[in-house]
Amino acid sequence: TAGPKQAAVFQALRDEHEAHARALGWTQVPAPSPSPEPVGRAALLRAERAAARQRADGARDASEPELAQILALIAASEAQHVVTLEAL
């Protein structure tokens, strides 16, 4: 299980993911799926790296400038999540 510092970091990242969803116009943010196994730091790092790449690709391919800007900002945030997780 995560210690207090890790739990606080994980909650902050979750809060940022919710903000990302709201920035994309979601009115309901899905609740986290219960997992039978705790997700390890390595899996979170892989997921955040993939998300950063996907958002950057989406920003590049977006047909609307506002959407491109939002996706680019989210990509930068996801990249920062990687740095944060690496520091744990």
Side-chain angles (χ1 to χ4, degrees):
T1 61
K5 179 181 177 182
Q6 286 180 323
V9 168
F10 295 160
Q11 184 60 51
L13 296 181
R14 169 127 178 84
D15 293 346
E16 289 181 18
H17 284 279
E18 289 178 2
H20 298 164
R22 286 191 301 276
L24 291 170
W26 293 22
T27 56
Q28 292 284 351
V29 178
S33 301
S35 176
E37 299 274 330
V39 176
R41 186 174 143 274
L44 289 173
L45 281 164
R46 283 191 301 276
E48 293 289 355
R49 284 186 183 108
R53 281 191 304 275
Q54 290 168 353
R55 301 310 164 260
D57 290 347
R60 181 195 64 225
D61 298 339
S63 59
E64 299 173 22
E66 183 179 353
L67 178 58
Q69 181 180 21
I70 290 169
L71 290 172
L73 291 170
I74 292 172
S77 178
E78 303 290 4
Q80 183 57 47
H81 293 173
V82 171
V83 173
T84 300
L85 289 167
E86 287 176 337
L88 286 180

